[in-house]
Amino acid sequence: LINLNVTPLINLEATPIGTAPTLIPGAPTLIPTLTPVKLLTTPSGPICDEMTYGSPVDVNYPDGSTVKAGYNFDKIWRVYNTGVCTWDEGYILIPVGSTSTRSGDNNPLDAANPAWEAKTKVEPGGVVDIGVRLTAPLANGEYSTTFILRNDRGVNFGGPLTVIIVVKGD
């Protein structure tokens, strides 16, 4: 028979919060160090995908800009990745709503779907300019389209990105 009389290095019995565990003489003492980490949290943990508007958010064509009828233009927004996950392939921008002076037109600016796709990685804390190709309608009036980011799992996140233009003929 072999006697396996092993002396534990630390007393693993439950101790009240705030009470240090009992150490065995001669055992190494581990001193924990604190590493500050800033995480956005929800009741279930960190927020993976989150977006904050850049400064300026409208890189070009601020809301209310006048655009010539039928003109093709690129709208660009600046946003920050404020979540803890990297935006990469599969992250897209999709149109989710619009207004038009033309009845029944749910895509008056002819936005593609998806309107933007991540081509490079956007790390947490990173900034990206998101651009979409749009076409101004031929009829005068005010038009808008709203977009939202969608992650690679099909979940929408962040705030709305909207373009509002006023179309005027020559």
Side-chain angles (χ1 to χ4, degrees):
L1 289 172
I2 299 174
N3 183 1
L4 295 176
N5 186 7
V6 178
T7 304
L9 295 177
I10 191 167
N11 178 0
L12 296 178
E13 294 179 13
T15 56
I17 294 177
T19 304
T22 305
L23 298 177
I24 305 300
T29 303
L30 301 176
I31 301 172
T33 58
L34 296 177
T35 304
V37 176
K38 181 181 177 189
L39 292 178
L40 300 172
T41 59
T42 65
S44 61
I47 297 174
C48 180
D49 295 312
E50 187 58 53
M51 177 274 288
T52 300
Y53 300 108
S55 180
V57 65
D58 293 311
V59 174
N60 63 359
Y61 294 97
D63 290 346
S65 293
T66 300
V67 178
K68 289 183 181 181
Y71 183 73
N72 292 322
F73 64 103
D74 295 316
K75 169 65 181 184
I76 301 172
W77 299 275
R78 181 165 295 145
V79 297
Y80 292 94
N81 177 352
T82 52
V84 297
C85 294
T86 298
W87 303 347
D88 52 17
E89 188 176 315
Y91 281 69
I92 59 176
L93 184 73
I94 59 167
V96 291
S98 64
T99 60
S100 169
T101 54
R102 300 182 300 191
S103 66
D105 190 349
N106 63 359
N107 191 7
L109 301 179
D110 296 326
N113 190 5
W116 172 86
E117 298 178 56
K119 302 288 186 202
T120 60
K121 291 183 179 185
V122 182
E123 301 290 337
V127 62
V128 64
D129 287 350
I130 295 176
V132 298
R133 172 56 59 115
L134 302 168
T135 302
L138 295 175
N140 290 347
E142 184 175 293
Y143 301 90
S144 73
T145 299
T146 301
F147 300 84
I148 194 91
L149 287 165
R150 178 175 285 174
N151 67 19
D152 56 358
R153 294 171 309 285
V155 177
N156 297 347
F157 70 95
L161 296 170
T162 303
V163 56
I164 301 171
I165 62 165
V166 176
V167 174
K168 291 187 178 176
D170 290 334

